[in-house]
Amino acid sequence: MSWIDVPGFHAAAPFGPQTLPYGLVRVDDRWTPAVRVGDHVLPLRGLAGALGPRLAGLVSEDSLDPLLAREAAIWRELRERLQELTGGSTAPRGARLISLDEVRSALPFTVGDYVDFYSSRHHAENVGRILRPDSAPLLPNWTHLPVGYHGRSGTVVVSGTDVVRPHGQRRPPGAELPVFGPSTRLDIEAEVGFVCGGPVGGRLSTAEAEEHVFGVVLVNDWSARDIQAWEYQPLGPFLGKSFATSIAGWITPLAAFDHARVSPPAPPHRLLDYLVEDRQAGLDLRLAVSWNGTVVTRPRFAEMSWSFAQQLAHLSVNGATVRPGDLFASGTVSGPLRSERGSFLELSWGGAEPVELAGGARRTFLEDGDSVVVTATAPGPEGSVIGLAEVAGTIRPAASA
Ligand SMILES: O=C(O)/C=C/C(=O)CC(=O)CC(=O)O
Ligand SMILES: [Ca+2]
Ligand SMILES: [Mg+2]
């Protein structure tokens, strides 16, 4: 029996001893790294005695940056030590448990370069059909490489941060000239993000990519579809996405997903060698998106065509460096069913088919005051459940022009 006797700290719950995600919380007027245990947090700064000086030194600053900069073997060592400490029958000296509702969280690491992929075939085909009805839904490159773009790391925000409706240019349907004003088609994208760590690397193989991913976070890539539709050709997403990208405040270590490994759907042809995986790197994550409290879609990550290992191998194949703190997101997670679409653009089919919420409200795109929460779970060892912490955000009205 563990000394941690709090709700939700057991193997059948997402934040039991099998998960132990890392975050950053405010305790006694200082930020400290912590792990989430059920509905409580265990700050790590107080555990120097139990962790020993070497491991304690990695979690005694006001971010997870020193830990991310170390290699995967050290991450495994710290995780094993924390599993021992949280599973023991007596509390280690200096341990404190604080209810999650009583602490503030912050972005737990310095976000370096940010990349967003486009690796759900279902999403890519849906968006193609909605935005480009007269062309083939997929371009010829899509099945040969994980398509992506570089985003804006400075506007990555932690779960719970309000999102202000962005201003921008859009061209109303049928109009010849663009107008300026607040977006009228504000959307979400439910995605899975990968937080990089380890020594600075370039040109990583798919096998090396495994050692350069510290952990996994849920992502909401807020997207202003009207701004995007007008600006994106020929260079891709720009201001329609760079105003805010939310990530969960808790990073679930990649090691927690050892029992959730699956193969991505088979590609329709042979891949170039650098994209062939040594180890299955697809993940059986089951997402749920709620809109003002109604679950509107349940995307399955196992449907993604490209894995995180293929994405990282591809983004570095030209020699581009991968540094600790770099973040890359999977792309919108959509499955083949309507009930699995990962954006409201797809759920409402371009605004033509409103989504019903509890209480009779109907929506196509986001209204001011709307809240969206994305959660996910995965299978863990011996029938346990691995959790990915929620990414939540509420829309605030546009600032005055
Ligand atoms: O197909 C398009 O024109 C645009 C697609 C997106 O907005 C998707 C994007 O950001 C990548 C993704 O999340 O899958
Ligand atoms: Ca996206
Ligand atoms: Mg975004």
Side-chain angles (χ1 to χ4, degrees):
M1 204 27 207
S2 162
W3 62 275
I4 301 181
D5 182 18
V6 300
F9 193 62
H10 55 85
F15 300 107
Q18 68 286 359
T19 304
L20 298 183
Y22 294 97
L24 189 70
V25 296
R26 189 89 179 156
V27 179
D28 299 336
D29 296 325
R30 284 179 80 181
W31 292 104
T32 168
V35 286
R36 179 157 163 184
V37 290
D39 65 3
H40 279 59
V41 306
L42 172 65
L44 300 181
R45 207 202 289 278
L47 295 183
L51 289 173
R54 202 168 45 88
L55 293 178
L58 301 176
V59 288
S60 57
E61 310 267 314
D62 58 0
S63 87
L64 295 173
D65 294 353
L67 180 60
L68 295 187
R70 298 305 304 272
E71 51 281 9
I74 304 281
W75 307 335
R76 283 192 283 274
E77 196 184 329
L78 177 62
R79 178 167 161 80
E80 278 162 22
R81 185 73 189 119
L82 289 171
Q83 282 178 323
E84 274 167 32
L85 292 177
T86 54
S89 54
T90 50
R93 198 154 49 82
R96 270 168 83 178
L97 293 173
I98 307 172
S99 166
L100 198 54
D101 338 307
E102 281 164 27
V103 282
R104 275 202 292 141
S105 292
L107 263 189
F109 64 103
T110 309
V111 183
D113 288 318
Y114 167 55
V115 163
D116 186 23
F117 284 98
Y118 188 42
S119 292
S120 159
R121 184 173 189 136
H122 306 289
H123 171 72
E125 289 181 341
N126 286 338
V127 176
R129 290 193 180 103
I130 294 166
L131 298 184
R132 299 173 286 275
D134 301 327
S135 319
L138 286 188
L139 289 169
N141 59 3
W142 199 93
T143 57
H144 291 271
L145 56 84
V147 171
Y149 65 94
H150 284 91
R152 192 165 187 84
S153 49
T155 52
V156 174
V157 296
V158 74
S159 176
T161 306
D162 288 346
V163 172
V164 176
R165 181 178 297 275
H167 276 78
Q169 283 197 23
R170 65 175 189 279
R171 191 172 67 175
E176 197 183 325
L177 295 176
V179 298
F180 180 80
S183 170
T184 59
R185 296 187 128 211
L186 189 52
D187 195 2
I188 67 146
E189 290 188 331
E191 304 197 24
V192 174
F194 296 88
V195 179
C196 296
V200 174
R203 193 152 183 188
L204 303 173
S205 66
T206 54
E208 289 164 332
E210 297 268 352
E211 302 283 297
H212 283 264
V213 170
F214 172 78
V216 187
V217 284
L218 288 172
V219 174
N220 184 345
D221 179 22
W222 306 96
S223 298
R225 299 300 182 190
D226 43 359
I227 298 173
Q228 180 183 355
W230 168 235
E231 75 177 358
Y232 82 105
Q233 281 171 322
L235 286 187
F238 193 46
L239 305 183
K241 286 173 183 280
S242 62
F243 55 95
T245 304
S246 300
I247 68 170
W250 298 89
I251 309 173
T252 302
L254 183 61
F257 296 101
D258 280 350
H259 291 78
R261 294 293 185 117
V262 290
S263 290
H269 45 68
R270 218 187 115 70
L271 298 176
L272 290 170
D273 285 346
Y274 78 95
L275 289 169
V276 174
E277 277 177 3
D278 299 333
R279 181 184 176 198
Q280 302 177 311
L283 297 174
D284 181 11
L285 313 177
R286 297 137 198 209
L287 281 64
V289 179
S290 69
W291 194 346
N292 296 344
T294 303
V295 174
V296 291
T297 177
R298 295 182 182 278
R300 282 177 299 131
F301 193 70
E303 287 285 340
M304 301 300 277
S305 293
W306 297 100
S307 72
F308 72 84
Q310 291 170 320
Q311 291 171 333
L312 197 51
H314 183 64
L315 89 71
S316 64
V317 73
N318 63 351
T321 49
V322 175
R323 295 176 296 177
D326 286 356
L327 172 70
F328 62 99
S330 59
T332 311
V333 185
S334 289
L337 306 177
R338 182 176 197 275
S339 58
E340 297 172 340
R341 295 177 185 162
S343 69
F344 301 155
L345 175 74
E346 293 163 88
L347 268 183
S348 71
W349 208 254
E353 299 170 13
V355 178
E356 307 270 344
L357 306 183
R362 285 154 69 86
R363 287 286 189 282
T364 50
F365 294 97
L366 288 158
E367 296 189 3
D368 291 345
D370 282 0
S371 292
V372 174
V373 182
V374 186
T375 57
T377 57
E382 293 160 35
S384 64
V385 178
I386 303 293
L388 278 168
E390 70 286 346
V391 60
T394 297
I395 305 304
R396 294 290 159 228
S400 47

